[in-house]
Amino acid sequence: MDRKEHVNRRVILHLDMNCFFASVEQAHNPELKGLALAVAGNPKARRGILVTCSYEARAFGVYTTMTVGEAKRVCPELVLVPPDFEKYRQASQAMFDILRTYTELVEPVSIDEAYIDITAIGGLENAMGIAKEMQERILRELDLPCSIGIAPNKFLAKTASDMKKPMGITILRKREVSNILWPLSVLEMHGIGKSSAEKLAQADIQTIGDLAIADDLKVKLTLGKRGLQLKQRANGVDDRIVDPEASEERKSVGSSTTLAIDETELDPCLAVFQKLAEKVASRLEAKQLAGTVISIQIRTAAWRNQSRSKTVLNPLYRSQEIYKEAAQLFRLHWDGEPIRLLGITVSNVIPFEELHEQLSFDNFERHDKEVSMQKLVSRMNDRFGPGTIHKGKQ
């Protein structure tokens, strides 16, 4: 291999915090260490949902999205704590601060994971040493475990970080893709969910290897243009750069409207929020994004501007969930002053392909049905025009 080519080869890390919420709780309260622990949206309700759980809990068969009642039957000694998002946000910021002492080429993916381009600070030759130091510092300074994948691109780095948990470091080379990834089911590939896997299965594409060698037209007819992108990744090809500004560029998606009259009644305002939520959901879907911060904007007849926001554990992209949160904020903060303008913004957004929903409420049973319905509504509106069809209030 040419020396120059070896030196200049891109090296990317994907750092993924292990059982992040549970680990933060254990770091704040050492008495919880070594225990079967779960963070639950409503620990007192048997139908409350586990947001995450420790590896000790997983050893008993406990897993994320279980109800509290189910988890307690599997593991009677399970310790439950409510989520504390501000605590997790602070831990996340501290983790990113450590990563940025190595390089500015750090791209946040979510609250607990990041891509880091280390090509210019050591490359492949020093990748293992850099990864070990990052991992040890985060454990020593924050008392939090993480796993790291090392690869020539984002897709392979993210895949590698999942291969050994907790506290793993894995190198995945492009030449290893056919042996390591191709035998796996397409459902195990990052970027492919249950719905896409079912569509691929109908096209007789069962494994990552099947996708890698599938006919381009067949893949495109099955999953659209995104299918061709996934086929490339199945072959270990991913040209995306680590972009520190990426999260800023896709920072928020919103919509606002000036009312025909200065409104003083609640119901008409809520009707406006319903339409705004549908517009925001449509724009999020078009950009394949979801976000964990929702804000409402209120401009009064006296031109006084107000903004109120809320951070949620479940990334928002469905219109009814967006409406529910916006309406709740409005009811809580509107003082009855006549309103001239209303708006909704969803921020702290991430791509669907990088989305791992932090379930904390009892909405998981509706999840698949709502996603299917949202897609149907979107297709109908694409065909007959925006706003032609929308979901009714429940």
Side-chain angles (χ1 to χ4, degrees):
M1 180 183 292
D2 182 80
R3 173 73 177 170
K4 184 177 180 181
E5 179 186 350
H6 176 78
V7 170
N8 292 332
R9 183 187 300 170
R10 192 166 57 152
V11 182
I12 292 175
L13 309 184
H14 179 263
L15 185 145
D16 190 9
M17 304 301 290
N18 300 147
C19 301
F20 183 55
F21 294 171
S23 295
V24 172
E25 295 294 343
Q26 290 173 327
H28 276 256
N29 182 2
E31 292 182 0
L32 297 174
K33 289 187 177 183
L35 301 181
L37 171 72
V39 177
N42 185 355
K44 295 181 180 179
R46 294 187 62 80
R47 283 186 53 79
I49 302 302
L50 303 193
V51 178
T52 192
C53 54
S54 66
Y55 284 102
E56 293 86 355
R58 295 181 188 192
F60 285 92
V62 176
Y63 57 85
T64 301
T65 74
M66 258 187 171
T67 66
V68 169
E70 290 170 339
K72 277 289 193 179
R73 283 194 294 273
V74 171
C75 179
E77 61 265 49
L78 184 68
V79 177
L80 297 163
V81 297
D84 184 342
F85 198 82
E86 181 58 25
K87 189 189 295 179
Y88 310 145
R89 187 195 65 77
Q90 291 175 3
S92 173
Q93 184 60 55
M95 177 267 289
F96 281 111
D97 287 344
I98 289 175
L99 297 182
R100 292 188 180 103
T101 64
Y102 292 87
T103 175
E104 288 300 312
L105 294 178
V106 177
E107 179 182 334
V109 179
S110 66
I111 192 171
D112 64 346
E113 60 179 315
Y115 291 111
I116 310 107
D117 189 329
I118 63 166
T119 309
I121 62 168
L124 188 59
E125 184 175 345
N126 298 309
M128 182 60 77
I130 293 171
K132 282 183 178 178
E133 185 178 321
M134 287 178 176
Q135 187 184 67
E136 289 169 1
R137 278 192 62 190
I138 291 172
L139 184 64
R140 183 176 66 251
E141 297 177 26
L142 305 180
D143 199 15
L144 297 173
C146 67
S147 292
I148 300 175
I150 305 171
N153 61 52
K154 282 182 169 181
F155 171 73
L156 294 180
K158 185 173 178 67
T159 301
S161 69
D162 272 345
M163 289 183 171
K164 187 179 178 183
K165 291 184 175 181
M167 290 293 287
I169 298 178
T170 305
I171 297 177
L172 181 59
R173 299 170 176 86
K174 188 176 176 182
R175 65 175 180 268
E176 297 172 322
V177 167
S178 58
N179 289 331
I180 295 176
L181 298 188
W182 283 12
L184 303 177
S185 164
V186 289
L187 192 56
E188 296 188 49
M189 179 175 165
H190 287 293
I192 295 183
K194 184 178 177 182
S195 175
S196 295
E198 289 174 351
K199 290 178 183 178
L200 289 169
Q202 291 172 4
D204 200 28
I205 298 173
Q206 305 283 351
T207 68
I208 296 176
D210 293 338
L211 177 59
I213 63 174
D215 178 75
D216 282 0
L217 181 59
K218 183 178 184 180
V219 173
K220 188 174 181 180
L221 289 173
T222 304
L223 294 181
K225 291 181 180 179
R226 181 170 169 270
L228 297 178
Q229 182 185 71
L230 290 169
K231 179 186 172 180
Q232 277 196 316
R233 292 180 188 173
N235 282 286
V237 177
D238 182 4
D239 296 327
R240 293 175 298 163
I241 64 170
V242 173
D243 182 4
E245 305 300 324
S247 60
E248 291 299 312
E249 291 173 4
R250 62 191 189 211
K251 194 169 175 179
S252 64
V253 175
S255 182
S256 63
T257 186
T258 301
L259 309 187
I261 60 171
D262 295 339
E263 190 57 67
T264 58
E265 298 294 326
L266 176 62
D267 286 346
C269 291
L270 294 180
V272 171
F273 275 120
Q274 179 71 58
K275 291 180 180 178
L276 290 172
E278 290 165 5
K279 288 182 180 179
V280 172
S282 177
R283 291 172 183 175
L284 285 167
E285 184 176 10
K287 295 182 178 183
Q288 294 288 284
L289 297 173
T292 55
V293 176
I294 183 166
S295 306
I296 61 168
Q297 296 77 46
I298 303 171
R299 181 180 297 159
T300 69
W303 289 83
R304 185 167 65 92
N305 293 314
Q306 303 175 56
S307 179
R308 296 291 183 269
S309 63
K310 177 183 178 182
T311 299
V312 298
L313 289 176
N314 298 335
L316 299 168
Y317 57 93
R318 297 186 291 269
S319 61
Q320 279 305 103
E321 295 300 326
I322 294 170
Y323 168 75
K324 175 184 172 184
E325 297 294 346
Q328 188 178 64
L329 279 172
F330 183 67
R331 288 190 179 100
L332 186 62
H333 295 289
W334 182 42
D335 60 7
E337 191 174 349
I339 294 172
R340 181 180 183 84
L341 175 144
L342 292 172
I344 297 176
T345 300
V346 173
S347 56
N348 194 26
V349 295
I350 58 173
F352 277 177
E353 67 183 63
E354 296 169 0
L355 179 64
H356 56 288
E357 186 172 19
Q358 304 279 4
L359 291 172
S360 62
F361 305 107
D362 61 349
N363 64 356
F364 75 106
E365 292 177 335
R366 306 192 314 267
H367 182 76
D368 287 340
K369 291 181 180 179
E370 289 192 2
V371 170
S372 298
M373 179 62 73
Q374 189 71 23
K375 289 179 178 177
L376 175 61
V377 170
S378 177
R379 288 197 300 270
M380 296 295 283
N381 284 332
D382 285 344
R383 183 174 179 182
F384 298 110
T388 304
I389 296 175
H390 58 83
K391 282 184 66 181
K393 296 181 184 178
Q394 294 181 340

